[in-house]
Amino acid sequence: MILLFTIYRSLKVVFITLGYAISYRVKSLIGVSVTFQDFAHRWAHSVISHCNISIEVSGEEHIPEQAVFIVNHRSSADIFVLLDILPKRSAFVFKHELLNHPLIGLALRLSPYIPVDRSSPKAAAMSILKAKSMIKDGHSIIIFPEGTWSYPPHDILPFKQGSLLMASKTGIPIIPIAMVGTETVTRPDGLLIFPGTVKVKIGPAHTADSHDHDQAEKFRALMKELMNSIQ
């Protein structure tokens, strides 16, 4: 019975995702003024509501008008949790392989978000230019500096220096965010959605004047401290 409810809940998420993606595309084609970020925020809130996911956030006073948010990464559920709690005008930086993800790939293809191909230095440079352009347009940027999922029993993985390169080049505050619990909502590499509680801790602003190993370890230590404070 539990498995049936889990499958039913997961199918609802698929249809919610398709519904919002189709609605956004149709309205765009017929000339209705819409923004992807507004649709994404509403989609995330709908998924959370229908799947009985509760979010406990502390440190919201640290969210400025515009920032680079660096966040630990535990599952695909991180996406809709962050969309629900962060400013609407925020753009994810994501690895381009996610365009083929069966659940979120369609939405990413319609989005203004920033894909990164780490195998190509030229493509990485173009991603930095796009991030700068979006920041100039008033957006915030969301980066997962680990570059992939880390989940219990693992700790936070070493940060990719390329991620901090993008953060250090933007010239706006860097806000570390730690999340615990998304790995119980969606298992790594899984499609099933489970109810659960996600705890989020938002830290104060920092700056990065470089992207070397020491700077990466500094931000990793800040995120570990935030995570330890909510476990």
Side-chain angles (χ1 to χ4, degrees), residues 104-153:
I104 62 175
L106 174 60
L108 288 174
R109 290 178 185 278
L110 297 174
S111 78
Y113 298 159
I114 307 165
V116 173
D117 183 354
R118 292 195 296 266
S119 66
S120 168
K122 182 178 179 180
M126 293 299 293
S127 297
I128 292 175
L129 290 176
K130 182 174 181 180
K132 285 185 172 182
S133 175
M134 296 198 74
I135 286 169
K136 186 177 181 180
D137 192 41
H139 288 77
S140 292
I141 303 295
I142 304 170
I143 298 176
F144 297 113
E146 295 167 285
T148 188
W149 290 323
S150 64
Y151 47 93

Side-chain angles (χ1 to χ4, degrees), residues 29 77 145 153 186 205:
L29 290 173
T186 304

Side-chain angles (χ1 to χ4, degrees), residues 1-18:
M1 184 62 71
I2 294 176
L3 178 60
L4 288 177
F5 274 115
T6 301
I7 294 173
Y8 171 70
R9 189 184 305 111
S10 304
L11 287 173
K12 279 202 301 184
V13 172
V14 171
F15 284 110
I16 289 170
T17 302
L18 287 172

Side-chain angles (χ1 to χ4, degrees), residues 43-44 47-48 53 55 73-83 92 101 103-104 144 149 179 181-188 190 192-194 198:
W43 165 78
V47 168
I48 289 166
I53 299 166
I55 305 174
H73 200 13
R74 287 195 164 186
S75 83
S76 57
D78 297 340
I79 305 297
F80 48 77
V81 170
L82 291 169
L83 283 171
F92 284 94
H101 191 284
L103 184 60
I104 62 175
F144 297 113
W149 290 323
M179 296 196 296
T182 54
E183 73 282 355
T184 66
V185 172
T186 304
R187 308 289 191 263
L192 297 178
I193 308 292
F194 301 86
V198 178

